[in-house]
DNA sequence: GCAAAAGTGTTACGAATACACCCATGA
DNA sequence: TCATGGGTGTATTCGTAACACTTTTGC
């Protein structure tokens, strides 16, 4: 049986690029790779790859993030389609950018070494190839939008975390300082944080209590009709 | 000179689909076309087309909206990349959806007839082909997001409009009823509406004052650092 | 004069902000 | 004992929501 096709149209390579965020208890970081191939060899870039036949966009983006981190079921969201006709000097491609939030300590070190990848604090990024800088800016903006309304911050933290750590994360995302008392009140008042009976030790003398995020409870709260209802950050742009 | 190309990768048709919003002083409407070609002939669909070589994504989306409406420099924004591998039965394509806001009375009637296009109120849409229904839902959500923060509503109105008309528009976008006094206070307090000395006649006995939107003033207010600062609607999701 | 839509102010509530001191512990 | 970071409450401000009557004018 002959496959039908559209006539008289161009076809293009479709790339997926991943903006991979991690948080090291201090700063937000991005995982970048050093290209060992032309063009722009030796320069830094986002992890990317090409869409395959019969592969959904989301699946392709996942595959690409997994190939660098070893992690599956990572939180990812499509960001934007980048398609300036001259964005890639090799061939006209379009790229759909996805951002991913991972727990920075979970990823596969071997893979990262194999790709000559490296974590960079988001305020100290090297020069990036093509339009990747633009992608990163878009991802930062989207993360700020998203983290204000939905509990995506927890994707960047280990299962157990302290409130000072959580605050540090939000401060990194929003590049601002937050009032400790107001921050704690807001987070705890939502009722989705569960205090454990374990204290962090080693970092501070007193030690901070570990908390976990109650995903089930959050789902119940937000499921009925309203998309989210909770405010993890005030919604000023 | 031989053109470099990527090796061993698939190439795909890249479609652009347009969700074209219009407002007829009563309800939000979408402009749909009746397909006169297979597959799904005689069914309703969004206006679409394929990306051409050396054409930016944004330009292609504009071209497609212009081809149906005759309008140029229309307000458009990229929405999302749709890429389920089986979304199009003819051939595996990906589609970048854009939404457009137009003044419903400006468009070219001839073109619309030629494409057997028709305006539908957004709450009475016919069944759509492929994943176009999903695109429409995404566009509605994005419009709600956008209209709360930026003055995009005015793109859907003629240059002169009354406050009751503006309120009707926001009520249509948010599918809710708004308090007249609160709405007027919010809009007028932003200082970007200019009252004309002209009254609407014909519709109501008393007649409502026509206003215009002061784009320049808005730009000055929002330019420095902050993205927008104004709140056209409370930012609840 | 009356129907129909346009126009106008005030109060109440809740969320966001600003702000300063005590607590626990390791060194 | 002291230095370091963890933890706690209250007052104020501001934006949002609720709410009802008067005005204009064509018929």
């Amino acid at each position: 049986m002959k496959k039908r096709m559209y006539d008289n149209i161009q076809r293009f390579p479709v790339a997926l690029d991943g903006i991979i965020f991690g948080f090291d208890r201090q700063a937000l970081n991005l995982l970048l790779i050093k290209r060992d191939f032309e063009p722009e060899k030796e320069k830094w870039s986002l992890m990317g790859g090409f869409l395959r036949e019969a592969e959904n966009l989301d699946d392709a983006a996942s595959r690409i993030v997994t190939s660098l981190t070893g992690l599956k079921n990572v939180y990812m969201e499509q960001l934007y389609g980048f398609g300036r006709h001259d964005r890639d000097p090799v061939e006209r491609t379009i790229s759909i950018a996805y951002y991913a939030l991972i727990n920075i300590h979970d990823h596969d070190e071997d893979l990262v070494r194999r790709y000559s990848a490296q974590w960079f604090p988001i305020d100290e990024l090297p020069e990036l190839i093509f339009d990747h800088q633009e992608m990163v800016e878009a991802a930062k903006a989207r993360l700020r939008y998203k983290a204000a309304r939905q509990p995506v911050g927890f994707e960047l933290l280990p299962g157990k975390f302290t409130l000072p750590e959580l605050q540090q994360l939000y401060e990194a995302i929003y590049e601002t300082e937050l009032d400790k008392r107001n921050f704690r009140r807001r987070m705890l008042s939502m009722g989705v944080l569960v205090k454990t009976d374990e204290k962090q030790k080693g970092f501070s003398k007193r030690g901070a209590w570990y908390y976990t995020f109650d995903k089930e409870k959050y789902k119940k709260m937000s499921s009925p009709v309203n998309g989210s209802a909770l405010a993890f950050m005030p919604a000023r742009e």
Side-chain angles (χ1 to χ4, degrees), chain A residues 206-232:
Chain A
R206 181 172 176 176
W209 291 105
Y210 277 116
Y211 285 77
T212 59
F213 169 60
D214 188 339
K215 203 163 192 169
E216 292 311 312
K217 188 160 180 198
Y218 172 77
K219 272 189 208 161
K220 274 179 201 148
M221 295 173 66
S222 56
S223 56
V225 183
N226 58 66
S228 63
L230 296 186
F232 291 84

Side-chain angles (χ1 to χ4, degrees), chain A residues 57-205:
Chain A
L57 281 180
D58 291 353
D59 296 335
S62 276
R63 166 172 62 78
I64 283 155
V65 168
T66 299
S67 71
L68 178 58
T69 63
L71 301 174
K72 297 184 179 187
N73 299 116
V74 161
Y75 179 87
M76 294 186 69
E77 195 189 3
Q78 189 190 112
L79 191 59
Y80 198 77
F82 291 82
R84 277 217 336 271
H85 70 89
D86 55 356
R87 60 177 296 281
D88 183 329
V90 176
E91 179 179 355
R92 197 275 161 90
T93 65
I94 69 153
S95 170
I96 315 288
Y98 279 72
Y99 74 95
L101 306 180
I102 75 171
N103 182 337
I104 202 168
H105 299 296
D106 283 354
H107 71 279
D108 186 321
E109 306 275 357
D110 286 343
L111 282 170
V112 164
R113 257 190 298 279
R114 197 175 318 157
Y115 283 103
S116 314
Q118 194 176 311
W119 287 98
F120 289 87
I122 49 167
D123 53 359
E124 296 170 30
L125 296 181
E127 196 189 338
L128 299 176
I129 64 161
F130 303 174
D131 48 7
H132 288 193
Q133 183 63 44
E134 207 182 324
M135 294 179 178
V136 170
E137 290 306 321
K140 284 163 66 178
R142 180 72 67 86
L143 177 57
R144 280 195 287 267
Y145 168 67
K146 201 78 184 177
R149 294 159 181 80
Q150 295 189 331
V152 296
F154 305 103
E155 307 287 343
L156 291 159
L157 292 169
K160 288 175 182 177
F161 50 86
T162 67
L163 286 176
E165 283 171 348
L166 188 61
Q167 181 174 346
Q168 189 77 32
L169 169 60
Y170 277 82
E171 290 182 337
I173 293 176
Y174 294 96
E175 298 178 46
T176 184
E177 304 217 331
L178 298 172
D179 182 274
K180 189 168 40 164
R181 288 160 291 190
N182 294 336
F183 179 80
R184 296 170 72 96
R185 185 185 19 253
R186 190 168 58 233
M187 288 295 157
L188 293 171
S189 71
M190 295 187 297
V192 293
L193 295 187
V194 183
K195 189 176 185 172
T196 68
D197 53 4
E198 205 180 334
K199 265 194 178 177
Q200 182 182 55
K201 44 172 116 178
F203 176 61
S204 78
K205 292 168 185 165

